[in-house]
mmCIF file with all atom_site columns, all heavy atoms in Angstrom:
data_model
loop_
_atom_site.group_PDB
_atom_site.id
_atom_site.type_symbol
_atom_site.label_atom_id
_atom_site.label_alt_id
_atom_site.label_comp_id
_atom_site.label_asym_id
_atom_site.label_entity_id
_atom_site.label_seq_id
_atom_site.pdbx_PDB_ins_code
_atom_site.Cartn_x
_atom_site.Cartn_y
_atom_site.Cartn_z
_atom_site.occupancy
_atom_site.B_iso_or_equiv
_atom_site.pdbx_formal_charge
_atom_site.auth_seq_id
_atom_site.auth_comp_id
_atom_site.auth_asym_id
_atom_site.auth_atom_id
_atom_site.pdbx_PDB_model_num
ATOM 1   N N   . GLY A 1 26  ? 1.498  -5.142  9.334   1.00 97.00 ? 26  GLY A N   1
ATOM 2   C CA  . GLY A 1 26  ? 0.211  -4.805  8.702   1.00 97.00 ? 26  GLY A CA  1
ATOM 3   C C   . GLY A 1 26  ? 0.315  -3.582  7.796   1.00 97.00 ? 26  GLY A C   1
ATOM 4   O O   . GLY A 1 26  ? -0.424 -3.468  6.819   1.00 97.00 ? 26  GLY A O   1
ATOM 5   N N   . ARG A 1 27  ? 1.244  -2.703  8.101   1.00 98.00 ? 27  ARG A N   1
ATOM 6   C CA  . ARG A 1 27  ? 1.426  -1.500  7.266   1.00 98.00 ? 27  ARG A CA  1
ATOM 7   C C   . ARG A 1 27  ? 2.037  -1.829  5.906   1.00 98.00 ? 27  ARG A C   1
ATOM 8   O O   . ARG A 1 27  ? 1.992  -1.001  4.994   1.00 98.00 ? 27  ARG A O   1
ATOM 9   C CB  . ARG A 1 27  ? 2.362  -0.510  7.976   1.00 98.00 ? 27  ARG A CB  1
ATOM 10  C CG  . ARG A 1 27  ? 1.854  -0.060  9.305   1.00 98.00 ? 27  ARG A CG  1
ATOM 11  C CD  . ARG A 1 27  ? 2.868  0.844   9.965   1.00 98.00 ? 27  ARG A CD  1
ATOM 12  N NE  . ARG A 1 27  ? 2.620  0.923   11.396  1.00 98.00 ? 27  ARG A NE  1
ATOM 13  C CZ  . ARG A 1 27  ? 3.436  1.501   12.268  1.00 98.00 ? 27  ARG A CZ  1
ATOM 14  N NH1 . ARG A 1 27  ? 4.552  2.070   11.851  1.00 98.00 ? 27  ARG A NH1 1
ATOM 15  N NH2 . ARG A 1 27  ? 3.144  1.520   13.552  1.00 98.00 ? 27  ARG A NH2 1
ATOM 16  N N   . ALA A 1 30  ? -0.196 -3.675  1.851   1.00 97.00 ? 30  ALA A N   1
ATOM 17  C CA  . ALA A 1 30  ? -0.748 -3.222  0.569   1.00 97.00 ? 30  ALA A CA  1
ATOM 18  C C   . ALA A 1 30  ? 0.180  -3.661  -0.565  1.00 97.00 ? 30  ALA A C   1
ATOM 19  O O   . ALA A 1 30  ? -0.246 -3.809  -1.703  1.00 97.00 ? 30  ALA A O   1
ATOM 20  C CB  . ALA A 1 30  ? -0.917 -1.698  0.548   1.00 97.00 ? 30  ALA A CB  1
ATOM 21  N N   . TYR A 1 36  ? 5.176  -14.447 -1.436  1.00 96.00 ? 36  TYR A N   1
ATOM 22  C CA  . TYR A 1 36  ? 5.086  -14.247 -2.881  1.00 96.00 ? 36  TYR A CA  1
ATOM 23  C C   . TYR A 1 36  ? 5.238  -12.776 -3.241  1.00 96.00 ? 36  TYR A C   1
ATOM 24  O O   . TYR A 1 36  ? 5.045  -11.907 -2.403  1.00 96.00 ? 36  TYR A O   1
ATOM 25  C CB  . TYR A 1 36  ? 3.786  -14.837 -3.448  1.00 96.00 ? 36  TYR A CB  1
ATOM 26  C CG  . TYR A 1 36  ? 2.524  -14.420 -2.734  1.00 96.00 ? 36  TYR A CG  1
ATOM 27  C CD1 . TYR A 1 36  ? 1.812  -13.299 -3.148  1.00 96.00 ? 36  TYR A CD1 1
ATOM 28  C CD2 . TYR A 1 36  ? 2.031  -15.125 -1.645  1.00 96.00 ? 36  TYR A CD2 1
ATOM 29  C CE1 . TYR A 1 36  ? 0.658  -12.904 -2.506  1.00 96.00 ? 36  TYR A CE1 1
ATOM 30  C CE2 . TYR A 1 36  ? 0.880  -14.746 -0.987  1.00 96.00 ? 36  TYR A CE2 1
ATOM 31  C CZ  . TYR A 1 36  ? 0.196  -13.629 -1.414  1.00 96.00 ? 36  TYR A CZ  1
ATOM 32  O OH  . TYR A 1 36  ? -0.954 -13.234 -0.783  1.00 96.00 ? 36  TYR A OH  1
ATOM 33  N N   . ARG A 1 38  ? 4.443  -9.214  -4.854  1.00 97.00 ? 38  ARG A N   1
ATOM 34  C CA  . ARG A 1 38  ? 3.264  -8.403  -5.169  1.00 97.00 ? 38  ARG A CA  1
ATOM 35  C C   . ARG A 1 38  ? 3.762  -7.092  -5.809  1.00 97.00 ? 38  ARG A C   1
ATOM 36  O O   . ARG A 1 38  ? 4.548  -7.147  -6.732  1.00 97.00 ? 38  ARG A O   1
ATOM 37  C CB  . ARG A 1 38  ? 2.447  -8.189  -3.898  1.00 97.00 ? 38  ARG A CB  1
ATOM 38  C CG  . ARG A 1 38  ? 1.881  -9.517  -3.373  1.00 97.00 ? 38  ARG A CG  1
ATOM 39  C CD  . ARG A 1 38  ? 1.127  -9.378  -2.082  1.00 97.00 ? 38  ARG A CD  1
ATOM 40  N NE  . ARG A 1 38  ? 0.045  -8.403  -2.180  1.00 97.00 ? 38  ARG A NE  1
ATOM 41  C CZ  . ARG A 1 38  ? -0.458 -7.723  -1.138  1.00 97.00 ? 38  ARG A CZ  1
ATOM 42  N NH1 . ARG A 1 38  ? 0.016  -7.933  0.061   1.00 97.00 ? 38  ARG A NH1 1
ATOM 43  N NH2 . ARG A 1 38  ? -1.434 -6.863  -1.315  1.00 97.00 ? 38  ARG A NH2 1
ATOM 44  N N   . VAL A 1 39  ? 3.270  -5.951  -5.308  1.00 98.00 ? 39  VAL A N   1
ATOM 45  C CA  . VAL A 1 39  ? 3.823  -4.678  -5.783  1.00 98.00 ? 39  VAL A CA  1
ATOM 46  C C   . VAL A 1 39  ? 5.293  -4.603  -5.351  1.00 98.00 ? 39  VAL A C   1
ATOM 47  O O   . VAL A 1 39  ? 6.157  -4.075  -6.062  1.00 98.00 ? 39  VAL A O   1
ATOM 48  C CB  . VAL A 1 39  ? 3.014  -3.496  -5.229  1.00 98.00 ? 39  VAL A CB  1
ATOM 49  C CG1 . VAL A 1 39  ? 3.684  -2.177  -5.591  1.00 98.00 ? 39  VAL A CG1 1
ATOM 50  C CG2 . VAL A 1 39  ? 1.585  -3.536  -5.753  1.00 98.00 ? 39  VAL A CG2 1
ATOM 51  N N   . GLY A 1 88  ? 15.463 7.014   -5.494  1.00 96.00 ? 88  GLY A N   1
ATOM 52  C CA  . GLY A 1 88  ? 14.969 6.453   -6.743  1.00 96.00 ? 88  GLY A CA  1
ATOM 53  C C   . GLY A 1 88  ? 14.280 5.122   -6.566  1.00 96.00 ? 88  GLY A C   1
ATOM 54  O O   . GLY A 1 88  ? 13.817 4.521   -7.537  1.00 96.00 ? 88  GLY A O   1
ATOM 55  N N   . THR A 1 89  ? 14.178 4.622   -5.323  1.00 97.00 ? 89  THR A N   1
ATOM 56  C CA  . THR A 1 89  ? 13.502 3.343   -5.118  1.00 97.00 ? 89  THR A CA  1
ATOM 57  C C   . THR A 1 89  ? 12.023 3.431   -5.486  1.00 97.00 ? 89  THR A C   1
ATOM 58  O O   . THR A 1 89  ? 11.406 4.496   -5.364  1.00 97.00 ? 89  THR A O   1
ATOM 59  C CB  . THR A 1 89  ? 13.619 2.843   -3.653  1.00 97.00 ? 89  THR A CB  1
ATOM 60  O OG1 . THR A 1 89  ? 12.935 1.601   -3.535  1.00 97.00 ? 89  THR A OG1 1
ATOM 61  C CG2 . THR A 1 89  ? 13.005 3.827   -2.669  1.00 97.00 ? 89  THR A CG2 1
ATOM 62  N N   . ALA A 1 90  ? 11.485 2.308   -5.925  1.00 97.00 ? 90  ALA A N   1
ATOM 63  C CA  . ALA A 1 90  ? 10.060 2.251   -6.233  1.00 97.00 ? 90  ALA A CA  1
ATOM 64  C C   . ALA A 1 90  ? 9.220  2.036   -4.973  1.00 97.00 ? 90  ALA A C   1
ATOM 65  O O   . ALA A 1 90  ? 8.012  2.080   -5.011  1.00 97.00 ? 90  ALA A O   1
ATOM 66  C CB  . ALA A 1 90  ? 9.782  1.121   -7.236  1.00 97.00 ? 90  ALA A CB  1
ATOM 67  N N   . THR A 1 92  ? 7.907  3.771   -2.642  1.00 97.00 ? 92  THR A N   1
ATOM 68  C CA  . THR A 1 92  ? 7.641  5.181   -2.371  1.00 97.00 ? 92  THR A CA  1
ATOM 69  C C   . THR A 1 92  ? 6.803  5.266   -1.101  1.00 97.00 ? 92  THR A C   1
ATOM 70  O O   . THR A 1 92  ? 5.594  5.470   -1.131  1.00 97.00 ? 92  THR A O   1
ATOM 71  C CB  . THR A 1 92  ? 6.902  5.823   -3.542  1.00 97.00 ? 92  THR A CB  1
ATOM 72  O OG1 . THR A 1 92  ? 5.826  4.955   -3.941  1.00 97.00 ? 92  THR A OG1 1
ATOM 73  C CG2 . THR A 1 92  ? 7.846  6.000   -4.725  1.00 97.00 ? 92  THR A CG2 1
ATOM 74  N N   . TYR A 1 93  ? 7.471  5.062   0.006   1.00 97.00 ? 93  TYR A N   1
ATOM 75  C CA  . TYR A 1 93  ? 6.831  4.953   1.304   1.00 97.00 ? 93  TYR A CA  1
ATOM 76  C C   . TYR A 1 93  ? 7.736  5.654   2.313   1.00 97.00 ? 93  TYR A C   1
ATOM 77  O O   . TYR A 1 93  ? 8.948  5.412   2.319   1.00 97.00 ? 93  TYR A O   1
ATOM 78  C CB  . TYR A 1 93  ? 6.674  3.464   1.653   1.00 97.00 ? 93  TYR A CB  1
ATOM 79  C CG  . TYR A 1 93  ? 6.000  3.173   2.958   1.00 97.00 ? 93  TYR A CG  1
ATOM 80  C CD1 . TYR A 1 93  ? 4.631  3.371   3.115   1.00 97.00 ? 93  TYR A CD1 1
ATOM 81  C CD2 . TYR A 1 93  ? 6.720  2.696   4.043   1.00 97.00 ? 93  TYR A CD2 1
ATOM 82  C CE1 . TYR A 1 93  ? 4.009  3.096   4.317   1.00 97.00 ? 93  TYR A CE1 1
ATOM 83  C CE2 . TYR A 1 93  ? 6.112  2.418   5.252   1.00 97.00 ? 93  TYR A CE2 1
ATOM 84  C CZ  . TYR A 1 93  ? 4.745  2.619   5.385   1.00 97.00 ? 93  TYR A CZ  1
ATOM 85  O OH  . TYR A 1 93  ? 4.128  2.360   6.581   1.00 97.00 ? 93  TYR A OH  1
ATOM 86  N N   . ALA A 1 94  ? 7.149  6.519   3.130   1.00 97.00 ? 94  ALA A N   1
ATOM 87  C CA  . ALA A 1 94  ? 7.970  7.360   4.002   1.00 97.00 ? 94  ALA A CA  1
ATOM 88  C C   . ALA A 1 94  ? 8.724  6.574   5.076   1.00 97.00 ? 94  ALA A C   1
ATOM 89  O O   . ALA A 1 94  ? 9.678  7.072   5.649   1.00 97.00 ? 94  ALA A O   1
ATOM 90  C CB  . ALA A 1 94  ? 7.106  8.447   4.647   1.00 97.00 ? 94  ALA A CB  1
ATOM 91  N N   . LYS B 2 50  ? 6.360  8.275   -10.035 1.00 97.00 ? 50  LYS B N   1
ATOM 92  C CA  . LYS B 2 50  ? 6.763  6.988   -9.439  1.00 97.00 ? 50  LYS B CA  1
ATOM 93  C C   . LYS B 2 50  ? 5.869  6.622   -8.263  1.00 97.00 ? 50  LYS B C   1
ATOM 94  O O   . LYS B 2 50  ? 5.421  5.493   -8.136  1.00 97.00 ? 50  LYS B O   1
ATOM 95  C CB  . LYS B 2 50  ? 8.236  7.078   -9.012  1.00 97.00 ? 50  LYS B CB  1
ATOM 96  C CG  . LYS B 2 50  ? 8.823  5.745   -8.644  1.00 97.00 ? 50  LYS B CG  1
ATOM 97  C CD  . LYS B 2 50  ? 10.311 5.833   -8.397  1.00 97.00 ? 50  LYS B CD  1
ATOM 98  C CE  . LYS B 2 50  ? 11.095 5.876   -9.681  1.00 97.00 ? 50  LYS B CE  1
ATOM 99  N NZ  . LYS B 2 50  ? 12.484 5.541   -9.565  1.00 97.00 ? 50  LYS B NZ  1
ATOM 100 N N   . THR B 2 54  ? 3.316  3.368   -8.075  1.00 98.00 ? 54  THR B N   1
ATOM 101 C CA  . THR B 2 54  ? 3.314  2.341   -7.022  1.00 98.00 ? 54  THR B CA  1
ATOM 102 C C   . THR B 2 54  ? 1.909  2.220   -6.435  1.00 98.00 ? 54  THR B C   1
ATOM 103 O O   . THR B 2 54  ? 1.397  1.109   -6.224  1.00 98.00 ? 54  THR B O   1
ATOM 104 C CB  . THR B 2 54  ? 4.354  2.682   -5.931  1.00 98.00 ? 54  THR B CB  1
ATOM 105 O OG1 . THR B 2 54  ? 5.659  2.680   -6.512  1.00 98.00 ? 54  THR B OG1 1
ATOM 106 C CG2 . THR B 2 54  ? 4.328  1.677   -4.799  1.00 98.00 ? 54  THR B CG2 1
ATOM 107 N N   . GLU B 2 61  ? -4.123 -4.325  -7.959  1.00 98.00 ? 61  GLU B N   1
ATOM 108 C CA  . GLU B 2 61  ? -4.153 -5.615  -7.291  1.00 98.00 ? 61  GLU B CA  1
ATOM 109 C C   . GLU B 2 61  ? -5.388 -5.743  -6.392  1.00 98.00 ? 61  GLU B C   1
ATOM 110 O O   . GLU B 2 61  ? -6.005 -6.805  -6.325  1.00 98.00 ? 61  GLU B O   1
ATOM 111 C CB  . GLU B 2 61  ? -2.875 -5.812  -6.469  1.00 98.00 ? 61  GLU B CB  1
ATOM 112 C CG  . GLU B 2 61  ? -2.681 -7.266  -6.130  1.00 98.00 ? 61  GLU B CG  1
ATOM 113 C CD  . GLU B 2 61  ? -1.785 -7.482  -4.925  1.00 98.00 ? 61  GLU B CD  1
ATOM 114 O OE1 . GLU B 2 61  ? -2.287 -7.381  -3.793  1.00 98.00 ? 61  GLU B OE1 1
ATOM 115 O OE2 . GLU B 2 61  ? -0.600 -7.734  -5.135  1.00 98.00 ? 61  GLU B OE2 1
ATOM 116 N N   . THR B 2 116 ? -1.108 -13.329 -7.513  1.00 96.00 ? 116 THR B N   1
ATOM 117 C CA  . THR B 2 116 ? -1.112 -14.408 -6.531  1.00 96.00 ? 116 THR B CA  1
ATOM 118 C C   . THR B 2 116 ? -1.904 -13.963 -5.314  1.00 96.00 ? 116 THR B C   1
ATOM 119 O O   . THR B 2 116 ? -1.647 -12.885 -4.774  1.00 96.00 ? 116 THR B O   1
ATOM 120 C CB  . THR B 2 116 ? 0.325  -14.736 -6.092  1.00 96.00 ? 116 THR B CB  1
ATOM 121 O OG1 . THR B 2 116 ? 1.120  -14.929 -7.258  1.00 96.00 ? 116 THR B OG1 1
ATOM 122 C CG2 . THR B 2 116 ? 0.372  -15.977 -5.232  1.00 96.00 ? 116 THR B CG2 1
ATOM 123 N N   . PRO B 2 118 ? -3.742 -15.629 -1.543  1.00 95.00 ? 118 PRO B N   1
ATOM 124 C CA  . PRO B 2 118 ? -3.726 -16.840 -0.692  1.00 95.00 ? 118 PRO B CA  1
ATOM 125 C C   . PRO B 2 118 ? -5.069 -17.554 -0.724  1.00 95.00 ? 118 PRO B C   1
ATOM 126 O O   . PRO B 2 118 ? -5.706 -17.746 0.299   1.00 95.00 ? 118 PRO B O   1
ATOM 127 C CB  . PRO B 2 118 ? -3.417 -16.274 0.697   1.00 95.00 ? 118 PRO B CB  1
ATOM 128 C CG  . PRO B 2 118 ? -3.996 -14.894 0.680   1.00 95.00 ? 118 PRO B CG  1
ATOM 129 C CD  . PRO B 2 118 ? -3.886 -14.411 -0.743  1.00 95.00 ? 118 PRO B CD  1
ATOM 130 N N   . LEU B 2 135 ? -5.813 -5.926  3.383   1.00 98.00 ? 135 LEU B N   1
ATOM 131 C CA  . LEU B 2 135 ? -5.415 -5.131  2.223   1.00 98.00 ? 135 LEU B CA  1
ATOM 132 C C   . LEU B 2 135 ? -5.779 -3.657  2.425   1.00 98.00 ? 135 LEU B C   1
ATOM 133 O O   . LEU B 2 135 ? -4.996 -2.755  2.078   1.00 98.00 ? 135 LEU B O   1
ATOM 134 C CB  . LEU B 2 135 ? -6.096 -5.647  0.944   1.00 98.00 ? 135 LEU B CB  1
ATOM 135 C CG  . LEU B 2 135 ? -5.654 -6.998  0.412   1.00 98.00 ? 135 LEU B CG  1
ATOM 136 C CD1 . LEU B 2 135 ? -6.389 -7.315  -0.884  1.00 98.00 ? 135 LEU B CD1 1
ATOM 137 C CD2 . LEU B 2 135 ? -4.139 -7.039  0.189   1.00 98.00 ? 135 LEU B CD2 1
ATOM 138 N N   . GLY B 2 138 ? -3.479 -2.056  4.902   1.00 98.00 ? 138 GLY B N   1
ATOM 139 C CA  . GLY B 2 138 ? -2.212 -1.803  4.225   1.00 98.00 ? 138 GLY B CA  1
ATOM 140 C C   . GLY B 2 138 ? -2.299 -0.597  3.301   1.00 98.00 ? 138 GLY B C   1
ATOM 141 O O   . GLY B 2 138 ? -1.382 0.207   3.207   1.00 98.00 ? 138 GLY B O   1
ATOM 142 N N   . ALA B 2 139 ? -3.440 -0.468  2.641   1.00 98.00 ? 139 ALA B N   1
ATOM 143 C CA  . ALA B 2 139 ? -3.615 0.655   1.710   1.00 98.00 ? 139 ALA B CA  1
ATOM 144 C C   . ALA B 2 139 ? -3.603 1.983   2.458   1.00 98.00 ? 139 ALA B C   1
ATOM 145 O O   . ALA B 2 139 ? -3.011 2.966   2.010   1.00 98.00 ? 139 ALA B O   1
ATOM 146 C CB  . ALA B 2 139 ? -4.912 0.488   0.919   1.00 98.00 ? 139 ALA B CB  1
ATOM 147 N N   . SER B 2 141 ? -2.042 2.628   5.232   1.00 98.00 ? 141 SER B N   1
ATOM 148 C CA  . SER B 2 141 ? -0.641 2.897   5.587   1.00 98.00 ? 141 SER B CA  1
ATOM 149 C C   . SER B 2 141 ? 0.172  3.322   4.386   1.00 98.00 ? 141 SER B C   1
ATOM 150 O O   . SER B 2 141 ? 1.022  4.204   4.464   1.00 98.00 ? 141 SER B O   1
ATOM 151 C CB  . SER B 2 141 ? 0.004  1.643   6.188   1.00 98.00 ? 141 SER B CB  1
ATOM 152 O OG  . SER B 2 141 ? -0.663 1.269   7.351   1.00 98.00 ? 141 SER B OG  1
ATOM 153 N N   . GLY B 2 145 ? 2.061  6.798   3.957   1.00 98.00 ? 145 GLY B N   1
ATOM 154 C CA  . GLY B 2 145 ? 3.500  6.864   3.691   1.00 98.00 ? 145 GLY B CA  1
ATOM 155 C C   . GLY B 2 145 ? 3.828  7.598   2.407   1.00 98.00 ? 145 GLY B C   1
ATOM 156 O O   . GLY B 2 145 ? 4.985  7.941   2.153   1.00 98.00 ? 145 GLY B O   1
ATOM 157 N N   . LEU B 2 149 ? 5.653  12.461  0.647   1.00 97.00 ? 149 LEU B N   1
ATOM 158 C CA  . LEU B 2 149 ? 6.710  12.324  -0.370  1.00 97.00 ? 149 LEU B CA  1
ATOM 159 C C   . LEU B 2 149 ? 6.469  13.132  -1.641  1.00 97.00 ? 149 LEU B C   1
ATOM 160 O O   . LEU B 2 149 ? 7.396  13.408  -2.388  1.00 97.00 ? 149 LEU B O   1
ATOM 161 C CB  . LEU B 2 149 ? 6.893  10.855  -0.762  1.00 97.00 ? 149 LEU B CB  1
ATOM 162 C CG  . LEU B 2 149 ? 7.266  9.862   0.360   1.00 97.00 ? 149 LEU B CG  1
ATOM 163 C CD1 . LEU B 2 149 ? 7.445  8.464   -0.233  1.00 97.00 ? 149 LEU B CD1 1
ATOM 164 C CD2 . LEU B 2 149 ? 8.514  10.311  1.086   1.00 97.00 ? 149 LEU B CD2 1
ATOM 165 N N   . SER B 2 188 ? -1.607 4.267   11.204  1.00 96.00 ? 188 SER B N   1
ATOM 166 C CA  . SER B 2 188 ? -0.138 4.350   11.116  1.00 96.00 ? 188 SER B CA  1
ATOM 167 C C   . SER B 2 188 ? 0.370  3.502   9.959   1.00 96.00 ? 188 SER B C   1
ATOM 168 O O   . SER B 2 188 ? -0.339 2.708   9.407   1.00 96.00 ? 188 SER B O   1
ATOM 169 C CB  . SER B 2 188 ? 0.503  3.890   12.414  1.00 96.00 ? 188 SER B CB  1
ATOM 170 O OG  . SER B 2 188 ? 0.011  2.620   12.768  1.00 96.00 ? 188 SER B OG  1
#
Side-chain angles (χ1 to χ4, degrees):
Chain A
R27 300 177 200 171
Y36 51 91
R38 295 177 56 206
V39 173
T89 179
T92 48
Y93 181 73
Chain B
K50 191 172 282 199
T54 297
E61 198 202 83
T116 309
L135 290 183
S141 298
L149 301 182
S188 53

